[in-house]
Amino acid sequence: MNVELKNRSHLILGVLFFGWMVSYIDRTAISLALINIGNDLSLSATELGFVLSAFFFGYAAMQIPGGWLTDKYGTKKLLIGAVIFWSIFTAFTGFAWSLASLLFIRFLFGIGEGGYPAASTKAISIYFHKEKRTNAQTTMMSSNMIGGAVAPIICAPLLLAMDWRNVFFLISGLGFIFVIALLWSTKHAQTFTSEERKEKEEKGSFSDVLKNTYLMRVLLIFFFMNIANWGLNTWMPTYLMKVHGLDLKNVGFIAAIPAIFGMVGMIISGRIISKLGGRSKYGVIFGAAVLAVCLYFMATAGSAAIAITYQSIAFIFVAFMASFIFTTPHRVVNQQNVGTAFGIVNFGGQAAGIISPTIMGYLINASGGSFESSFIFLAIMCVIAAVIAVTLPVHHQQQTTIQSVEGYEL
């Protein structure tokens, strides 16, 4: 690969990275604005849980169709369409006037964001050689952690300076910046085909992906892991403010600390997984166990500092588990089906977001405002994820045939 192509690939990776950050900022802003929205629209904790879950209904519903559409119609079309769609409904969030309107808007917002994961993953398979895809994928997905760090720092001061509705109007513009950057970076870009033409072409099918039992078990691991992950992410700002008495400004900066640990863990874990291969499952088992223990201790933390310390430790291991899950499609299916495979796996993870915030809200209400029972619930979900990971074979037969993308419409 010549230097020009390498630089172009890295440029595209940077744009995809930025797109993930924008998506995370847009979806995280509502967690920080939750108290303001609840006060403005007179919503209870249970109703706010429904609002958080509405996004995941749309997001999860779009995962499999998004992967299929990416494989069928091309990465660039899906990326641009998804980002424009979700940016519009980010802005529309600011127009919500009732619980019903907010639920509808956040559902459609989730539909828009749901098309991005598979499309961005497929782009990695197109612009990077197969030996570089695991590192490229984990680097791209570390943007989730950076987004988690940047979102509070950006949104908390904005929420203090202006009405929560104006914040959503403002951040919606980030998506249109991404579209411009994507069009520029991919103009005349070459796809990665020349080094793989000697390999036998194998197209496969949607049904073949569904029959991949290894992939289905990874889906279940992601489901239970993400019940804990999304429950923690969506309710953590409220927990810090109501239980430990922090104000919104302090929450914005403190919430960035665990995300930084997770970002470092994500980047490092990609390199580890590349070397360990199937044996990485032991890291997943250990990571799920550590996450469960940290969640249990967070439930009884005596101060915000202790809670954030446990969350930071947890996020290092969440990052390893996420790296393993996000890179699985590159390892176990051919290139033609990467988008579909990622969509299927991500469906499991995002379906967890449908139930997790709502269950958390119910448990918080039922316990009179205490978060202890909800954190213990999340810890139990991590234990289930670890048990499923035990069943993964160590030496899974990796897919070695790569679909040529010469002439593939981007």
Side-chain angles (χ1 to χ4, degrees):
M1 180 174 63
N2 59 45
V3 176
E4 182 181 353
L5 178 56
K6 181 178 180 180
N7 290 339
R8 176 65 63 168
S9 297
H10 289 172
L11 177 62
I12 294 170
L13 176 61
V15 174
L16 296 172
F17 185 99
F18 174 69
W20 270 102
M21 284 188 62
V22 172
S23 76
Y24 211 81
I25 290 170
D26 287 358
R27 77 179 73 164
T28 303
I30 199 165
S31 296
L32 292 168
L34 209 58
I35 292 178
N36 293 346
I37 293 172
N39 292 336
D40 194 8
L41 300 180
S42 300
L43 304 178
S44 68
T46 300
E47 289 171 325
L48 290 173
F50 290 146
V51 171
L52 294 172
S53 293
F55 161 78
F56 292 101
F57 271 104
Y59 194 67
M62 191 59 183
Q63 292 307 305
I64 296 176
W68 180 80
L69 289 169
T70 297
D71 287 336
K72 185 172 181 63
Y73 294 108
T75 301
K76 187 184 292 187
K77 290 178 181 177
L78 263 293
L79 288 174
I80 293 174
V83 175
I84 290 177
F85 192 86
W86 96 52
S87 296
I88 290 172
F89 284 97
T90 296
F92 279 8
T93 302
F95 292 114
W97 64 92
S98 65
L99 175 61
S101 66
L102 193 54
L103 291 173
F104 182 67
I105 290 168
R106 297 305 289 181
F107 171 77
L108 292 177
F109 169 73
I111 290 286
E113 286 217 353
Y116 190 82
S120 61
T121 296
K122 184 61 175 277
I124 293 294
S125 76
I126 292 169
Y127 290 108
F128 285 84
H129 186 270
K130 60 182 179 179
E131 295 176 356
K132 303 293 183 181
R133 288 171 190 161
T134 295
N135 288 346
Q137 181 77 14
T138 52
T139 299
M140 180 177 72
M141 299 310 295
S142 70
S143 58
N144 283 241
M145 297 297 182
I146 297 179
V150 170
I153 294 173
I154 292 176
C155 295
L158 290 175
L159 286 165
L160 290 171
M162 63 181 72
D163 184 77
W164 65 268
R165 298 177 184 274
N166 293 330
V167 173
F168 285 96
F169 298 150
L170 186 62
I171 63 176
S172 67
L174 294 172
F176 297 97
I177 296 174
F178 165 83
V179 171
I180 295 170
L182 180 70
L183 291 171
W184 172 70
S185 64
T186 56
K187 188 176 182 180
H188 307 306
Q190 299 180 49
T191 55
F192 222 110
T193 59
S194 59
E195 296 182 21
E196 296 169 352
R197 287 175 180 170
K198 294 182 180 180
E199 298 184 12
K200 181 181 177 181
E201 182 176 311
E202 184 175 309
K203 292 185 177 181
S205 66
F206 181 78
S207 61
D208 291 335
V209 177
L210 289 177
K211 293 175 184 176
N212 190 314
T213 58
Y214 188 94
L215 204 65
M216 294 303 107
R217 275 179 274 188
V218 171
L219 179 154
L220 289 174
I221 292 169
F222 198 20
F223 174 77
F224 288 105
M225 184 197 97
N226 248 18
I227 289 180
N229 190 38
W230 280 120
L232 188 60
N233 283 337
T234 53
W235 281 102
M236 194 66 182
T238 303
Y239 164 74
L240 291 173
M241 286 186 278
K242 288 197 170 182
V243 176
H244 296 292
L246 299 183
D247 59 29
L248 184 58
K249 183 178 180 180
N250 287 328
V251 166
F253 286 98
I254 290 175
I257 297 172
I260 293 171
F261 279 87
M263 175 194 68
V264 174
M266 182 76 78
I267 294 173
I268 295 174
S269 61
R271 278 68 182 168
I272 296 173
I273 290 170
S274 292
K275 295 181 181 297
L276 293 180
R279 289 177 296 169
S280 298
K281 82 163 195 174
Y282 297 116
V284 175
I285 296 168
F286 181 72
V290 171
L291 179 55
V293 171
C294 287
L295 284 165
Y296 175 78
F297 284 122
M298 286 176 69
T300 57
S303 68
I306 294 174
I308 290 297
T309 298
Y310 284 125
Q311 188 184 10
S312 298
I313 296 170
F315 269 31
I316 294 173
F317 294 95
V318 167
F320 185 94
M321 297 166 68
S323 292
F324 178 85
I325 292 165
F326 291 145
T327 59
T328 293
H330 292 298
R331 299 193 306 273
V332 303
V333 301
N334 57 38
Q335 188 187 50
Q336 177 69 19
N337 292 320
V338 164
T340 299
F342 189 90
I344 289 173
V345 170
N346 208 32
F347 169 78
Q350 306 317 319
I354 296 173
I355 63 172
S356 185
T358 299
I359 292 176
M360 288 275 288
Y362 172 79
L363 291 173
I364 293 165
N365 260 359
S367 58
S370 171
F371 280 72
E372 185 171 340
S373 60
S374 59
F375 277 119
I376 292 175
F377 161 71
L378 300 183
I380 293 171
M381 297 299 101
C382 294
V383 173
I384 296 174
V387 171
I388 298 172
V390 171
T391 69
L392 290 175
V394 175
H395 300 294
H396 181 72
Q397 181 63 44
Q398 296 184 356
Q399 181 63 258
T400 58
T401 57
I402 306 295
Q403 165 71 27
S404 170
V405 293
E406 182 177 16
Y408 181 87
E409 185 182 357
L410 296 173

